[in-house]
Amino acid sequence: MKRHLLTVAILGGLIVLLVLVNQWLGIRLYDRIATNLCISLVLVLGLQVFMGNSGILSFAHMGFMGVGAYTSAVLTIPAQMKGMALPDLYPFLQAVQVSPYLAIAAGGIVAALVAAALSYPLMRLSDAAAVITSFALLVVLYTVMTHWSQVTNGPRTLFGLPKATDLPLAAGVAILALIAALVFKESRTGRLLRASRDDETAAAALGAHIPSLRWRAFILAALFAGVGGALWGHFITSFSPKAFYLKETFLILSMLVIGGANTVTGAIVGTFIVTIAYESLRGFEGVLNEAKIMSNPVIGLTEIVLALAMIAVLALRPGGLFPTREIGALFGRKKTRQENAG
Amino acid sequence: MGQSMSEKSLNAAGVSVEFSGLRALDNVSLTLSPAEIVGLIGPNGSGKTTLINAITGQVPLAGGRVTIGGDQISGLSPRRIALKGINRSFQIVRLFNNMTVVENVESSALAHGVSLRQAREKANTLLAEFSLSEKAEDLAGNLSYGDKRRVEIARALAADPAFLLLDEPAAGMNEAESETLLHILSELPRTRGLGLLIIDHDMGLIMRLCNRLHVLASGRTIAEGKADEVRKNPAVIEAYLGSEAANA
Ligand SMILES: Nc1ncnc2c1ncn2[C@@H]1O[C@H](COP(=O)(O)OP(=O)(O)O)[C@@H](O)[C@H]1O
Ligand SMILES: [Mg+2]
């Protein structure tokens, strides 16, 4: 218990520090990056809840982020703007306009419900079959988002969401997500799911109902993704379905995998590292292009370097930077070792 | 609950198993009663592991049935069979390697619906019994082979099974380790009232532990009964004990 509190204190402290530095610096660019980082934390922690505990790679996560973002959009775009923003909207939704904070929660709940309804059959699958079907699920969600113009405005950009997300809100939700991910990991479901991750046959032979354990984690993961999506929608205020597809999927996967999928610490450290690397590289790309050192503009450098970093981490440290133990447990162990030695 | 369960026997009747044409078990019948220890022996490839797999639902039966106190369990999933009170260890240890030792042990109690706190208490008690308390917070994957074996048995016991099926629990252990294990196992029927089926190649260990022996060769039962009688059975000596008897 002490170790878990230490983990929350250290990782939560990191997030609080991010907010404090922002107040102190007062730079707009930093504020944007830090807020996006906190939203990424919510998403990656959600991915960790499913992937880290079940050991099954899921590509579908960004799809549920989209569900959350669109749900919150439909619920919050001011009634008088809806005619323009969502010309095909169902009449019964035209007058609906709730508080963004309520809508963010609703975004999470709707994403969780969609996940609950769609995913149970997939939870019996393992290995390659599970990965491929999660990818298929992403494609389905993306296709629905691009075609269901009544609620998404189709492939076009949807605008008019009220700006409600700022850094303190995003950071607060990220800290809640951190606590929820740790609580889940240590719950009965979390423990049995981790057992099935390490050895499916042995876990079933002990009496664990693996599909149902995975299902619960998948629903919780979608809840995180939906909340993250809605938070992001109320930060960026306009988006299109493209925002919830392959490039973004790769980004959150690289965050989780580089940090270490099995631990909440890994999810958080990976998100920080990849965000900082991503933004630095993008800045560097911009400088290169400005200075016209190359004859052609440099495009895609960021993505390539990130992909290489992910390959390097997987080759050298397959479990990521924090493969098994949470940071609080690592500190706790060091201390007891020293005590034993002394 | 444990009481009513422990009055029933585990019964495999005429069990056959086939692997794409190969008959790995042919019409094998075995009964395991509460509070008794039965040794399952036979040469390599004779079907011992397959019999455990058949009882626990890991392989489908081509014939026969398995019951507990008359209730059929064959045909159920491994998970449901586990919840009926049968637990096992594996010939090649299967631990949850990225989890700690105590998490491994408590997992089986959790699967049976025990509360988090009670599961932890149970796991700690078992770890103390198995002299593993010091290693409770180590990762299971980092243990020595002998320790892994003991963790696996402790994990099986944390579910309070009525029947425990152990597949070569002493394999790879040194003399001292297997002596300790023998002591722990010999106490189980008395302290927990459970029926123990144990596969092992160490005849010394088997003879000291078991009331009854069941001998398989090429998937068939060639002898069963009281341990010292089976040991003298000419068919058994020829099929299995020959080399060891000569060595002795
Ligand atoms: N999953 C399997 N698929 C195919 N053949 C198997 C399988 N499991 C066991 N066998 C075969 O069944 C026979 C009995 O094996 P096993 O039960 O492991 O023997 P034992 O445990 O007595 O050494 C062997 O011939 C083995 O090759
Ligand atoms: Mg075997």
Side-chain angles (χ1 to χ4, degrees):
Chain A
M1 193 60 211
K2 239 181 177 168
R3 275 171 294 150
H4 301 317
L5 290 179
L6 189 58
T7 303
V8 172
I10 293 171
L11 298 175
L14 198 61
I15 299 171
V16 170
L17 192 68
L18 188 75
V19 179
L20 291 180
V21 170
N22 182 56
Q23 308 295 5
W24 177 66
L25 281 178
I27 303 173
R28 286 257 314 266
L29 175 69
Y30 180 94
D31 185 79
R32 178 185 65 73
I33 293 173
T35 309
N36 271 322
L37 196 159
C38 287
I39 295 169
S40 299
L41 282 175
V42 177
L43 283 161
V44 176
L45 283 165
L47 195 59
Q48 196 279 330
V49 163
F50 179 71
M51 244 179 87
N53 294 305
S54 75
I56 295 173
L57 184 60
S58 171
F59 282 114
H61 205 57
M62 288 310 292
F64 294 105
M65 179 188 183
V67 172
Y70 278 111
T71 301
S72 193
V74 168
L75 293 177
T76 56
I77 294 174
Q80 66 272 25
M81 275 182 78
K82 273 188 172 144
M84 237 178 6
L86 280 167
D88 303 331
L89 186 66
Y90 299 113
F92 75 96
L93 285 171
Q94 267 159 9
V96 176
Q97 188 187 339
V98 306
S99 138
Y101 306 105
L102 210 63
I104 289 170
I109 291 166
V110 171
L113 290 175
V114 172
L118 294 182
S119 68
Y120 195 79
L122 311 187
M123 299 296 125
R124 301 201 162 272
L125 307 174
S126 299
D127 306 323
V131 178
I132 305 268
T133 46
S134 80
F135 187 65
L137 190 54
L138 175 68
V139 173
V140 168
L141 291 170
Y142 176 72
T143 309
V144 170
M145 283 187 258
T146 46
H147 291 282
W148 195 5
S149 53
Q150 284 85 347
V151 290
T152 65
N153 200 26
R156 293 167 299 274
T157 298
L158 175 64
F159 57 89
L161 283 82
K163 179 133 185 159
T165 302
D166 54 11
L167 181 56
L169 175 67
V173 176
I175 290 172
L176 285 182
L178 153 69
I179 294 169
L182 276 171
V183 167
F184 178 78
K185 189 182 167 203
E186 297 303 327
S187 70
R188 174 197 308 272
T189 302
R191 281 177 205 212
L192 289 173
L193 193 58
R194 283 188 281 141
S196 78
R197 170 196 72 197
D198 284 4
D199 195 316
E200 215 177 315
T201 305
L206 295 180
H209 193 308
I210 297 169
S212 132
L213 297 167
R214 287 177 182 164
W215 190 52
R216 288 176 224 169
F218 197 82
I219 293 170
L220 184 60
L223 178 83
F224 281 43
V227 168
L231 268 181
W232 182 75
H234 291 289
F235 181 61
I236 197 106
T237 71
S238 66
F239 53 82
S240 69
K242 277 205 313 280
F244 313 107
Y245 208 35
L246 298 177
K247 195 175 145 199
E248 291 66 26
T249 298
F250 177 72
L251 201 59
I252 58 166
L253 277 172
S254 68
M255 288 171 177
L256 183 60
V257 165
I258 287 173
N262 286 359
T263 60
V264 174
T265 306
I268 290 187
V269 170
T271 307
F272 268 87
I273 289 178
V274 171
T275 302
I276 292 167
Y278 188 86
E279 296 296 339
S280 317
L281 282 166
R282 263 184 29 168
F284 181 63
E285 223 175 84
V287 171
L288 274 186
N289 290 339
E290 204 105 315
K292 297 210 163 53
I293 294 170
M294 315 278 175
S295 50
N296 298 317
V298 183
I299 301 168
L301 175 71
T302 311
E303 283 75 14
I304 290 174
V305 172
L306 261 188
L308 290 177
M310 186 157 141
I311 292 169
V313 168
L314 287 180
L316 299 173
R317 218 177 144 85
L321 298 173
F322 289 85
T324 42
R325 288 190 195 276
E326 300 296 347
I327 194 152
L330 289 172
F331 273 101
R333 279 173 71 77
K334 274 212 190 98
K335 221 165 139 200
T336 44
R337 282 223 185 109
Q338 279 162 1
E339 278 161 12
N340 289 346
Chain B
M1 191 188 102
Q3 197 55 34
S4 68
M5 234 176 200
S6 64
E7 286 151 17
K8 299 168 178 172
S9 293
L10 172 65
N11 188 35
V15 165
S16 298
V17 171
E18 283 179 5
F19 295 114
S20 51
L22 172 89
R23 216 165 171 87
L25 280 181
D26 190 6
N27 199 20
V28 171
S29 298
L30 176 145
T31 299
L32 181 62
S33 300
E36 77 165 337
I37 307 185
V38 174
L40 179 59
I41 60 173
N44 266 329
S46 59
K48 305 181 297 294
T49 297
T50 303
L51 182 56
I52 288 190
N53 286 340
I55 293 171
T56 56
Q58 259 100 21
V59 298
L61 304 190
R65 59 191 222 121
V66 184
T67 54
I68 296 182
D71 293 337
Q72 177 161 336
I73 59 164
S74 42
L76 299 178
S77 67
R79 165 179 169 262
R80 291 209 175 274
I81 292 174
L83 297 179
K84 298 269 181 192
I86 300 185
N87 228 309
R88 67 170 294 176
S89 74
F90 294 87
Q91 183 169 347
I92 296 163
V93 188
R94 286 177 171 270
L95 289 183
F96 308 130
N97 284 333
N98 293 306
M99 298 171 75
T100 62
V101 167
V102 65
E103 282 177 332
N104 265 270
V105 175
E106 70 190 359
S107 62
S108 68
L110 293 175
H112 284 250
V114 173
S115 74
L116 284 171
R117 176 187 302 218
Q118 281 179 318
R120 181 55 60 107
E121 276 170 17
K122 214 170 223 179
N124 283 331
T125 310
L126 278 162
L127 288 177
E129 261 176 59
F130 281 76
S131 323
L132 284 164
S133 299
E134 295 254 294
K135 295 175 176 154
E137 294 298 330
D138 290 3
L139 290 181
N142 294 344
L143 295 179
S144 73
Y145 192 74
D147 284 346
K148 283 186 182 172
R149 284 259 172 228
R150 282 186 297 157
V151 171
E152 200 184 28
I153 297 169
R155 183 179 69 184
L157 287 172
D160 280 330
F163 301 99
L164 180 58
L165 320 178
L166 300 178
D167 199 345
E168 305 196 16
M173 283 190 176
N174 63 35
E175 195 86 0
E177 284 173 332
S178 78
E179 199 60 31
T180 317
L181 180 71
L182 179 112
H183 180 72
I184 293 172
L185 294 181
S186 65
E187 296 281 298
L188 290 178
R190 192 175 55 75
T191 54
R192 295 170 163 264
L194 61 70
L196 189 59
L197 181 74
I198 172 165
I199 299 176
D200 212 280
H201 286 294
D202 180 348
M203 278 312 290
L205 180 122
I206 288 284
M207 293 305 292
R208 284 162 70 193
L209 262 180
C210 302
N211 324 95
R212 284 200 301 124
L213 292 186
H214 191 110
V215 191
L216 293 177
S218 310
R220 290 209 181 90
T221 303
I222 56 165
E224 59 177 319
K226 286 223 171 81
D228 32 338
E229 284 165 21
V230 168
R231 194 178 155 87
K232 290 180 200 130
N233 184 317
V236 175
I237 293 173
E238 193 189 321
Y240 181 62
L241 297 176
S243 56
E244 295 215 3
N247 289 344

